[in-house]
Amino acid sequence: MTNPTAAMLVIGDEILSGRTRDANMHHLAGELIGRGIRLREVRIVPDVHDRIVAAVNGLRAENDHLFTSGGIGPTHDDITADAVAAAFGVPIGIRDDARALLAAHYARTGLELNPARLRMARIPDGADLIENPVSAAPGFSLGNVHVMAGVPAIFQAMLASVLSRIAGGVPLLSQMIDVGRGEGDIATPLGALAQKFPDLSFGSYPYLRNGAHGTQIVVRGTDAGRLDAAMVELSRLVGRDG
Amino acid sequence: MTNPTAAMLVIGDEILSGRTRDANMHHLAGELIGRGIRLREVRIVPDVHDRIVAAVNGLRAENDHLFTSGGIGPTHDDITADAVAAAFGVPIGIRDDARALLAAHYARTGLELNPARLRMARIPDGADLIENPVSAAPGFSLGNVHVMAGVPAIFQAMLASVLSRIAGGVPLLSQMIDVGRGEGDIATPLGALAQKFPDLSFGSYPYLRNGAHGTQIVVRGTDAGRLDAAMVELSRLVGRDG
């Protein structure tokens, strides 16, 4: 049983400058894990053509899916669609069905479909549109690359549409135990347990709360029975050491 | 005038699984921009040795500084120090000064400096320690790579220490204007303005608020006079179109 893999590419100076705190990555991560799709890498790059092209080509080759966010609006710094077309080596131009979506939306809202807005109908050849129920301007899927907007409400709607069309894997299950002391107290038995259950992953996440150290241990895997067995042993280890 | 460049590498399955929402990236971005250091890329990779090594070597070659967060605790999934040593091709072992820091801390807190905790004194040859005022276990700087903890309070303290030692650049100034309508209305004049001020960067950030579209325009540069001149023109453009 293999689970599909994915990467995410966030395109936007605003994240790298600290102006905006990205919200889409965390949303995507949560959606993918429930569907058994492993998010293996996230990259954030600025609005620079060559950097986007290189990241798209690197990440799409290494993963079953690449999800991008940002850079598909009407302004001069929205260059994602052109960069993705360049990455695939395909032409890009205004597409009739995308233009029709925009024309209907702006007719409804009373705004002008001016040349800047018409740029949002530029779609690389061979792509499938991704519906935008919020503001009409579509995203697109080209090969295994899914190009979506950066505005969180639109990103989430587009992602839901994409995820309804792609195959997931065996859902990854997880169980968590909160240990009221530092990682160092439990690291050695935890490491031994991880070796005993090589089919599961054991994450150890230290935290500070009111000046006190604690640790959350998260065990993940696809077999509920194995997960239960590991949790029984883990509880015993943690209890016995306590 | 050139500004130093930086990248960030976040190491942690917990971010990619959606369990934890990363906070360190946003903090780093804000700290760097005020010092005139350009954050050019962020990558998030899982706790996998080869992936960390490859990312460290790629990002340290392309930037003046690489900041990492995560993976330097006492458990089996804390493999960052070994991966950074491997990336540089240098040996790693327990270092006396790091051990002394841990010994003093655990003597003070009444906890045992067991073998798992002693792993946190493993430091690659040639590195400088980064102080950890919260829980003693140090980070380290090796060449242009600064290796820090993932727990936000510790990451922030370590980063402050590193930033006090490295050179910044001309601070990047920014001004923002909030336009109460969609990007498409202002995209064309904004693009023309961006061409007129090639030394500045113009970011356009759409938002949805109570169902209404708006746009924030952020202008960035190092010359306050040029920034003011651009803002005067921008206000005029936006006002005239409104």
Side-chain angles (χ1 to χ4, degrees):
Chain A
M1 160 233 84
T2 56
N3 285 52
T5 61
M8 180 182 196
L9 178 62
V10 179
I11 295 140
D13 290 344
E14 70 275 23
I15 313 288
L16 295 171
S17 71
R19 177 188 169 278
T20 304
R21 187 174 168 180
D22 173 72
N24 295 330
M25 183 181 82
H26 186 61
H27 176 77
L28 176 69
E31 292 293 309
L32 291 182
I33 200 161
R35 287 170 173 79
I37 300 174
R38 284 199 304 129
L39 182 59
R40 294 176 66 240
E41 180 163 348
V42 176
R43 290 194 199 177
I44 308 173
V45 299
D47 305 326
V48 174
H49 181 84
D50 293 350
R51 302 284 306 283
I52 302 171
V53 171
V56 165
N57 278 334
L59 293 171
R60 76 184 170 104
E62 291 168 3
N63 296 281
D64 293 320
H65 295 281
L66 170 61
F67 299 89
T68 82
S69 79
I72 62 167
T75 62
H76 65 285
D77 56 348
D78 289 305
I79 60 175
T80 299
D82 284 271
V84 171
F88 279 82
V90 301
I92 181 171
I94 291 175
R95 212 165 88 172
D96 287 343
D97 54 354
R99 186 213 302 258
L101 289 170
L102 294 174
H105 173 76
Y106 290 112
R108 214 163 39 236
T109 56
L111 294 168
E112 182 198 0
L113 178 50
N114 59 25
R117 292 194 167 111
L118 203 51
R119 281 191 66 218
M120 297 190 287
R122 287 168 59 77
I123 304 290
D125 280 14
D128 294 316
L129 299 188
I130 302 173
E131 193 191 358
N132 172 353
V134 179
S135 55
F140 60 85
S141 293
L142 182 58
N144 64 340
V145 180
H146 312 287
V147 176
M148 297 177 285
V151 174
I154 306 176
F155 178 85
Q156 291 170 22
M158 287 181 169
L159 180 64
S161 163
V162 172
L163 290 178
S164 71
R165 297 192 269 108
I166 70 181
V170 183
L172 207 53
L173 309 172
S174 70
Q175 293 198 39
M176 194 266 280
I177 189 168
D178 195 314
V179 185
R181 51 210 160 116
E183 279 192 296
D185 277 341
I186 46 153
T188 300
L190 183 64
L193 196 63
Q195 289 207 314
K196 191 171 164 187
F197 290 86
D199 52 324
L200 305 179
S201 84
F202 291 74
S204 168
Y205 308 117
Y207 60 81
L208 278 171
R209 205 170 287 154
N210 303 323
H213 291 270
T215 307
Q216 292 184 334
I217 299 168
V218 178
V219 187
R220 288 200 185 81
T222 52
D223 183 320
R226 290 282 290 167
L227 214 58
D228 286 341
M231 289 308 285
V232 167
E233 292 210 29
L234 183 56
S235 307
R236 201 182 297 145
L237 281 175
V238 165
R240 183 188 295 155
D241 286 350
Chain B
M1 157 234 83
T2 56
N3 285 51
T5 61
M8 179 182 199
L9 178 63
V10 179
I11 295 141
D13 290 343
E14 70 275 23
I15 313 288
L16 294 173
S17 72
R19 180 190 165 276
T20 303
R21 189 175 166 175
D22 173 71
N24 295 330
M25 182 182 85
H26 187 61
H27 176 77
L28 176 70
E31 292 294 309
L32 291 182
I33 201 161
R35 287 169 173 80
I37 300 174
R38 281 200 306 130
L39 182 60
R40 292 177 68 241
E41 181 164 349
V42 177
R43 288 194 201 178
I44 308 174
V45 298
D47 305 326
V48 174
H49 181 85
D50 293 350
R51 304 283 306 282
I52 303 171
V53 171
V56 165
N57 278 335
L59 293 171
R60 75 184 171 102
E62 290 167 4
N63 296 281
D64 294 320
H65 294 282
L66 171 60
F67 299 89
T68 82
S69 79
I72 63 168
T75 62
H76 64 285
D77 56 347
D78 289 306
I79 59 175
T80 299
D82 285 273
V84 171
F88 280 82
V90 302
I92 180 169
I94 290 175
R95 211 164 89 171
D96 288 345
D97 54 354
R99 185 212 302 259
L101 289 170
L102 293 174
H105 174 76
Y106 289 112
R108 211 162 43 233
T109 56
L111 294 169
E112 182 198 358
L113 178 49
N114 58 23
R117 291 194 167 109
L118 204 50
R119 281 191 67 217
M120 297 190 287
R122 287 168 59 76
I123 304 288
D125 279 14
D128 293 317
L129 300 187
I130 302 173
E131 193 192 359
N132 172 354
V134 179
S135 54
F140 60 85
S141 293
L142 181 59
N144 63 340
V145 180
H146 312 288
V147 176
M148 298 177 286
V151 175
I154 307 177
F155 178 85
Q156 291 170 23
M158 287 182 169
L159 180 64
S161 164
V162 171
L163 290 177
S164 71
R165 299 191 269 107
I166 70 181
V170 182
L172 207 54
L173 310 172
S174 70
Q175 293 197 41
M176 195 267 280
I177 189 168
D178 196 314
V179 184
R181 53 209 158 118
E183 278 192 296
D185 276 343
I186 46 153
T188 300
L190 183 64
L193 196 63
Q195 289 207 314
K196 190 171 164 187
F197 290 86
D199 53 323
L200 306 179
S201 84
F202 291 74
S204 168
Y205 307 117
Y207 61 82
L208 277 172
R209 205 170 287 156
N210 302 325
H213 292 270
T215 307
Q216 293 185 333
I217 299 167
V218 178
V219 188
R220 289 199 184 80
T222 52
D223 184 319
R226 289 283 289 169
L227 215 56
D228 286 342
M231 289 307 284
V232 167
E233 293 211 29
L234 182 56
S235 308
R236 201 180 300 144
L237 281 175
V238 165
R240 185 188 295 156
D241 287 350

